[in-house]
Amino acid sequence: MNIDKNAVGFIDDAQLLADEAKYSSFGDTVHYVDPPKIFRHGEGSYMFDTAGTPFLDLQMWYSAVNFGYGNKRLNDALKRQIDVLPQVASQYLHQTRIELAKTVALDAKKKFGLDGRVHFNVGGAQAIEDSLKLVRNYSNGKSLMFAFEGGYHGRTLGASSITSSYRYRRRFGHFGERAMFLPFPYPFRRPKGMTPEEYSDSCVRQFERLFETEYNGVWDPKTGQCEYAAFYVEPIQGTGGYVLPPMNFFKGLKKVLDKYGILMVSDEIQMGFWRTGKLWSIEHFGVTPDVIVFGKALTNGLNPLSGLWAREELINPTIFPPGSTHSTFNSNPLGTSLGLEVIKMGYELNYEKTVPVKGAHFLEGLRALQKKHKEIGDVDGLGLALRAEICTEDGFTPNKALLDKMVDIGLAGDLEHNGKKIGLVLDVGGWYKNVITFAPSLDITHEEIDLAMSLLDQLLTKAKKG
């Protein structure tokens, strides 16, 4: 694609980077790459830089753009809403806010058999904050939560308290209400001599042991009360490296939670909206959550909107009255109109069928690469949420340095396809920052998946040469 450098207002990359370095905070994540990459256009599965070089994007804005860049149906929905009701104060109602809440609630009723309600906010972390209020309120002020090692729920103060990485809390004072973090079953790095299912059961038993006696730390058997209000779970760990637990895990965990009256909050911010082949990833595991938190792909990245669904007992107007939480831009009409269109489109285009088929093709390609490159220690996935763990030649020891080289080479845009330059956008995750977390467009073609495998092969070969 040709970028018009003579267009009114065009500023070249060198000037933009100089201005960025002088005037912008470095406190966000842009400067994880030095220098940051500038893109000018997006279309389908591709982004384009100033030179017009295409970059096949295999992470789609951390799974926020599930339906591809420039999706015409969704872009048109946004344009229509701009001409009808582009903005309205959040203390007033508008049609698509009500329609979207109803759509999510009826979908949950059909799947889980529970009445519930939907509450909106702007970003994923903000929706997590709202869920913490909801849970604390329902549990008569209990402020302690369970969460998983390797889990990620955001970087606001409240969300940081239930995110396992200390580096997100280190400089911001003491977190007296930090969650208790429990082991998440990580099949590739399970103890020797255990099957994945045995390892999963062991993790559940380790958790349930906390309730054996009052001296195990969280349970008062005389009153039948737990000190902790809820367990925050990602059904598939996102930033933690797209770790997929054994399918028996959440059933075992939920039995313990139900036995001791602890709520399950399913964080679907990264895995929601058909990333795994279901609207919610928790659907794969045969359990019913008490709260579902969502965001990101709800608007395909076109407008900030997030929210939560909770069962009626937690969120009815008597227990969670007006003013319990608020954001100026929550339930904004541009976002809710897009969210409504996303859900309609998802069911009409039958992503429940197409995503697993494409995911199987992608996983087959990764397994073929694994046979060729000893450094790919593990590949796994569910739908189009996939992982490749980059290791040393032993196929197990984490190799962050090699993956960092791969990312840099991909962003340089010097790979080749049909005699032309092309780039590759990857995302790094995992407990050891050695996992490629793949979240391609759900509309990626089989030909683009094959291209992705070819580019990954080039990328790994170049990176190993140094």
Side-chain angles (χ1 to χ4, degrees), residues 348-424:
E348 286 174 13
L349 298 183
N350 200 9
Y351 284 117
E352 286 200 1
K353 180 178 179 180
T354 62
V355 168
V357 171
K358 291 177 181 179
H361 185 185
F362 204 116
L363 190 57
E364 181 182 16
L366 290 176
R367 286 174 175 153
L369 280 179
Q370 186 182 29
K371 292 177 181 178
K372 185 175 181 180
H373 296 278
K374 293 182 290 186
E375 292 80 5
I376 300 178
D378 179 56
V379 297
D380 200 1
L382 186 62
L384 282 168
L386 304 113
R387 73 191 311 269
E389 186 147 349
I390 305 302
C391 303
T392 60
E393 287 191 2
D394 67 8
F396 188 76
T397 304
N399 195 343
K400 178 181 181 296
L402 181 59
L403 180 51
D404 287 344
K405 288 180 183 177
M406 292 173 66
V407 171
D408 289 343
I409 293 169
L411 285 178
D414 288 329
L415 302 173
E416 291 187 1
H417 176 60
N418 290 337
K420 295 181 179 180
K421 287 188 175 183
I422 188 171
L424 191 63

Side-chain angles (χ1 to χ4, degrees), residues 137-287:
N137 179 66
Y138 181 73
S139 62
N140 297 315
K142 289 181 183 178
S143 58
L144 295 178
M145 310 293 157
F146 293 114
F148 281 121
E149 295 173 359
Y152 179 90
H153 302 285
R155 302 193 198 189
T156 56
L157 287 173
S160 294
S161 72
I162 57 172
T163 291
S164 69
S165 299
Y166 171 53
R167 72 184 182 95
Y168 300 134
R169 294 186 295 276
R170 182 179 60 82
R171 294 174 292 109
F172 305 108
H174 179 64
F175 284 68
E177 293 170 340
R178 182 176 69 90
M180 179 185 291
F181 297 105
L182 283 302
F184 188 84
Y186 189 162
F188 180 59
R189 299 194 175 277
R190 68 185 184 273
K192 291 183 178 179
M194 280 187 175
T195 67
E197 290 72 25
E198 289 170 340
Y199 177 35
S200 172
D201 290 340
S202 174
C203 289
V204 172
R205 286 196 302 272
Q206 185 175 342
F207 173 58
E208 189 166 21
R209 183 177 175 273
L210 295 174
F211 302 89
E212 280 186 358
T213 76
E214 64 181 275
Y215 299 102
N216 293 86
V218 304
W219 180 249
D220 181 354
K222 292 185 178 180
T223 62
Q225 291 189 20
C226 179
E227 189 175 11
Y228 289 72
F231 204 135
Y232 276 74
V233 310
E234 292 171 283
I236 299 174
Q237 291 201 329
T239 301
Y242 284 24
V243 180
L244 175 62
M247 284 296 170
N248 62 319
F249 176 64
F250 282 110
K251 282 187 178 179
L253 181 68
K254 190 64 164 59
K255 285 181 181 178
V256 180
L257 298 180
D258 289 346
K259 182 177 180 180
Y260 295 104
I262 302 160
L263 302 173
M264 174 185 276
V265 181
S266 182
D267 181 341
E268 299 282 349
I269 294 166
Q270 191 162 164
M271 293 297 159
F273 303 102
W274 295 283
R275 170 55 56 197
T276 64
K278 300 284 188 183
L279 182 64
W280 312 125
S281 60
I282 195 68
E283 293 178 52
H284 294 278
F285 297 94
V287 297

Side-chain angles (χ1 to χ4, degrees), residues 1 39 41-49 53-61 65-72 275 300 351 358 362 384 422-426 439-452 455:
M1 173 175 187
F39 288 105
H41 180 69
E43 185 175 339
S45 293
Y46 295 89
M47 291 194 291
F48 297 83
D49 66 7
T53 303
F55 287 72
L56 180 61
D57 191 345
L58 297 182
Q59 63 111 338
M60 299 306 287
W61 197 2
V65 191
N66 281 4
F67 311 100
Y69 297 106
N71 183 295
K72 186 178 187 307
R275 170 55 56 197
N300 204 40
Y351 284 117
K358 291 177 181 179
F362 204 116
L384 282 168
I422 188 171
L424 191 63
V425 177
L426 302 175
S441 167
L442 304 188
D443 292 327
I444 192 171
T445 66
H446 288 270
E447 291 76 18
E448 287 171 338
I449 293 172
D450 292 338
L451 172 60
L455 296 178

Side-chain angles (χ1 to χ4, degrees), residues 77-78 81 96-97 100 332-342:
L78 179 66
Q81 189 63 39
T96 56
R97 167 197 155 117
L100 180 57
N332 62 83
L334 295 179
T336 55
S337 63
L338 279 164
L340 189 62
E341 193 68 22
V342 159

